[in-house]
Amino acid sequence: MGERPLVMSCGDPSGIGPEIAAKAWNAVGRACPFVWLGDPQHLPEGVAFRVVDDVADCGGDVLPVVPVTFAAQARAGHPDLANAAGVIDAIRRGAELVQSGAARGLVTCPIHKAALKAGAGFRFPGHTEYLAHLAGVDRVVMMLASDALRVVPVTIHIPLADVPKALTPDLLEATIRITHAALIRDFGIARPRLAVAGLNPHAGEDGTMGHEDREVIARVIARLCAEGMDLRGPLPADTMFHGPARARYDAALCMYHDQALIPIKTLAFDEGVNVTLGLPFVRTSPDHGTAYDIAGQDVARPDSLIAAIRMAWEMGA
Ligand SMILES: NC(=O)c1ccc[n+]([C@@H]2O[C@H](COP(=O)([O-])OP(=O)(O)OC[C@H]3O[C@@H](n4cnc5c(N)ncnc54)[C@H](O)[C@@H]3O)[C@@H](O)[C@H]2O)c1
Ligand SMILES: N[C@H](C(=O)O)[C@H](O)COP(=O)(O)O
């Protein structure tokens, strides 16, 4: 047996996770072996698989599976709250396998956050926060990465109304430091260039459209630039993402979820990878969700999941 495999949590079995996992195995399963954690009954009909007891047994041509118990069958496009516990268990067991050293990295298939909360009292906004909890770390960063653009939302899954209060100097500084370190370590960029978006229109227009840009963002940038970091901002977000602007930085830090995710999902929906920075192990996921509207129709594209597998494989080295 050669290199340690990746492990993949199945995500919501009523979403497109099982079908894109099977397609991804056919595409890259030999170059980047992974073991799928899920209920084999949830795989699309006709998918060849074999149950393994040990993730080291991941060779061969068919999808290796470590079974996870689920309470119900999966009906494509219709999440079943009874399966929430199984979805969470697959993520937990994947994290355990990576933390034990048995697996090289964790790739997570999409979950329906609201269904996990309703079905199993899941108290985390998503994988990112749950994996930080499992790893015992206080701060992690969500990065969406592609060849065209890397973005980091400083605040993530909170209501827009809560963003200004959540945007503290401490959170912004920690996010910049984790991102900067990851660009050096995981992306091989010796001197990262970071662009930092303003919160308000026109980055506050010299204080006439909000105070956060001057009183929070600019002060953190000045402090970290004095330490030698290459940071620019706060920049008006509406002119940060066209081609010439993107060429001037290695990652863009944005103040809230959609300020970051709209540009990357517009530019690179099929190539984008969600990578969690700051964990003591590698974790990636596709940049999309459960796609219930197309689940079970065999039209879901595996491209983003394949990109997530490739990135986890390379980072896991
Ligand atoms: N990493 C994750 O676990 C993750 C990421 C995003 C959203 N979600 C969750 O997924 C659920 C649905 O979210 P949503 O509808 O906002 O976003 P979504 O990404 O599931 O779907 C948005 C649109 O993109 C299409 N799409 C998504 N993935 C596709 C693929 N691989 N191939 C072809 N088309 C694809 C869908 O058909 C849909 O029209 C929500 O509960 C959300 O929280 C989870
Ligand atoms: N915010 C991400 C997106 O919209 O693609 C997604 O919800 C990721 O969340 P977790 O990886 O934390 O589940």
Side-chain angles (χ1 to χ4, degrees), residues 111 113 126-129 142 157 257 261 265 274 283 287:
I111 60 176
K113 307 155 190 318
H127 287 101
T128 302
E129 297 82 359
M142 176 185 292
H157 291 130
H257 185 277
L261 273 70
K265 293 193 182 184
N274 173 6
R283 179 263 171 162
D287 66 358

Side-chain angles (χ1 to χ4, degrees), residues 4-8 35-37 53-56 66 68 89-106 281:
R4 293 176 301 154
L6 298 168
V7 285
M8 180 182 292
V35 177
W36 188 73
L37 305 176
D53 296 322
D54 180 341
V55 295
V66 168
V68 175
D89 194 39
I91 300 166
R92 182 186 56 77
R93 288 173 63 181
E96 283 174 358
L97 285 164
V98 183
Q99 287 187 283
S100 72
R104 182 188 186 104
L106 169 63
F281 53 84

Side-chain angles (χ1 to χ4, degrees), residues 122 144 149 195 299:
F122 191 63
L144 278 294
L149 174 64
V299 298

Side-chain angles (χ1 to χ4, degrees), residues 16 110-113 127 269 285-286 288-291 293-294 300-301:
I16 60 173
I111 60 176
H112 187 303
K113 307 155 190 318
H127 287 101
F269 188 76
S285 97
H288 58 72
T290 51
D293 56 325
I294 59 170
R301 294 182 56 142

Side-chain angles (χ1 to χ4, degrees), residues 96-188:
E96 283 174 358
L97 285 164
V98 183
Q99 287 187 283
S100 72
R104 182 188 186 104
L106 169 63
V107 181
T108 61
C109 285
I111 60 176
H112 187 303
K113 307 155 190 318
L116 298 191
K117 183 173 184 179
F122 191 63
R123 59 188 175 85
F124 302 93
H127 287 101
T128 302
E129 297 82 359
Y130 181 45
L131 292 169
H133 165 73
L134 294 177
V137 299
D138 291 332
R139 287 242 199 253
V140 291
V141 166
M142 176 185 292
M143 174 183 277
L144 278 294
S146 67
D147 291 342
L149 174 64
R150 298 183 193 95
V151 288
V152 166
V154 174
T155 66
I156 310 180
H157 291 130
I158 63 172
L160 268 183
D162 296 346
V163 168
K165 185 177 177 187
L167 204 51
T168 63
D170 176 54
L171 174 64
L172 179 56
E173 178 172 342
T175 305
I176 292 173
R177 289 188 186 279
I178 291 170
T179 303
H180 190 268
L183 288 172
I184 295 169
R185 184 194 62 234
D186 298 324
F187 293 89

